[in-house]
Amino acid sequence: MQSTLPKHDPLHVGIIMDGNGRWAAQHGLRRTAGHRQGAEAVRRTVEAAGELGIDVLTLYAFSADNWQRPSSEVRALMYLFEDFLSRERDRLVENDVRLNVIGRRDRLRPSIVSAIESSERATRACSSLLLRLAVDYSARWAIAAASRLGTQAAIGPVPDPVSDLTCRIERVTHSVAGVPPVDLLIRTSGEQRLSDFLLWESAYAELLFLPVLWPDFGPEQLATAVEDFHNRNRRFGRLPALAS
Ligand code: FPP
């Protein structure tokens, strides 16, 4: 898939949206109500992202391991996801947001795959923000599948093995090409683990674990997180004075 990313110092934020179930329990509601509020938090967060200088926002919406949840919860999540795609498409275009769904598509129901393809087509020319939703996503699966593709599958000339595998991971996950590595990786709900999310792309990501439950997340929390990120001293293995 062709890249429309800016050429200079893009900011890529990844978010593990955790805590919908606990939010629901705290409010005496069913887990699905927590996921519905979680979808509202997605809308708020996407709207705020562009204004905070974020170029790429990758949200972990459904992991490959989430298929193991009760079928009623999986159904509710898939419904919310499809609903988001159809309802938000025009608003994404208006706000110049390009949508890209990363992960496997062969296990999603055909209507969802159609909705993904339709939203990706409609927003293809948008360039203020690249919103990537990770659905049926597993970083380990992506790395393993990319490794099996064979070097001849790499797109165009590649300078080194790391760039080569990065291209192939983008290809097997249906990602837009040329996405920069993750700069800031946020997980909500107080848990401190990566849960198979963007393991390859987060090699030098700054990690931020926030106590807030995902349905309570929004522009204010995102702004504070970005500010925290800009105060970090990133060295990429070099000495401080030499690192950009
Ligand atoms: C983790 O919370 C969250 C998920 C597994 C699903 C994330 C889904 C959404 C935010 C809503 C739908 C998304 C879109 C893009 C419309 P959890 O259920 O594991 O919470 P818990 O750890 O408190 O039980």
Side-chain angles (χ1 to χ4, degrees):
M1 202 178 288
Q2 213 185 345
S3 176
T4 51
L5 291 165
K7 299 277 178 281
H8 308 290
D9 286 342
L11 175 59
H12 183 173
V13 176
I15 308 184
I16 302 173
M17 310 183 286
D18 196 11
N20 294 349
R22 275 162 284 171
W23 183 93
Q26 281 179 9
H27 291 77
L29 299 167
R30 292 220 291 252
R31 293 181 58 81
T32 47
H35 293 315
R36 265 200 306 280
Q37 286 304 311
E40 291 306 317
V42 169
R43 289 186 178 91
R44 292 195 297 270
T45 303
V46 171
E47 271 188 30
E51 284 159 29
L52 293 168
I54 296 170
D55 299 286
V56 185
L57 179 66
T58 306
L59 302 178
Y60 206 3
F62 190 86
S63 78
D65 287 322
N66 286 153
W67 291 113
Q68 296 168 59
R69 292 191 176 197
S71 57
S72 56
E73 184 167 343
V74 170
R75 257 198 317 276
L77 281 166
M78 289 297 149
Y79 169 79
L80 276 176
F81 178 52
E82 197 170 347
D83 184 62
F84 178 89
L85 289 173
S86 57
R87 271 181 205 256
E88 295 299 308
R89 199 179 53 194
D90 292 348
R91 199 170 356 180
L92 292 173
V93 173
E94 269 167 38
N95 293 331
D96 200 27
V97 177
R98 181 176 186 180
L99 180 92
N100 178 207
V101 175
I102 60 167
R104 293 179 62 169
R105 294 190 184 172
D106 57 312
R107 304 192 292 187
L108 300 176
R109 63 168 183 254
S111 62
I112 295 188
V113 176
S114 298
I116 291 171
E117 289 170 355
S118 162
S119 294
E120 287 185 339
R121 246 194 328 272
T123 62
R124 197 169 36 199
C126 299
S127 59
S128 291
L129 171 72
L130 172 62
L131 168 64
R132 295 197 312 168
L133 295 181
V135 177
D136 195 4
Y137 177 88
S138 155
R140 286 181 301 176
W141 180 89
I143 295 165
S147 313
R148 282 158 120 195
L149 265 188
T151 44
Q152 75 279 10
I155 309 150
V158 284
D160 64 82
V162 170
S163 304
D164 178 26
L165 190 57
T166 303
C167 286
R168 286 189 276 151
I169 287 172
E170 286 175 345
R171 189 173 157 138
V172 297
T173 56
H174 305 91
S175 173
V176 162
V179 174
V182 178
D183 296 296
L184 171 62
L185 183 58
I186 301 169
R187 183 176 189 135
T188 59
S189 92
E191 307 288 351
Q192 301 190 7
R193 53 179 175 266
L194 300 178
S195 300
D196 205 10
F197 184 53
L198 300 177
L199 300 180
W200 176 264
E201 297 84 346
S202 299
Y204 277 99
E206 296 294 323
L207 307 181
L208 184 59
F209 299 105
L210 299 174
V212 63
L213 301 175
W214 176 251
D216 291 327
F217 192 90
E220 206 179 301
Q221 288 75 17
L222 186 61
T224 308
V226 169
E227 196 184 333
D228 179 318
F229 166 77
H230 285 304
N231 289 327
R232 302 272 180 111
N233 179 9
R234 303 185 85 195
R235 292 194 292 279
F236 300 96
R238 288 169 282 184
L239 296 178
L242 300 174
S244 58

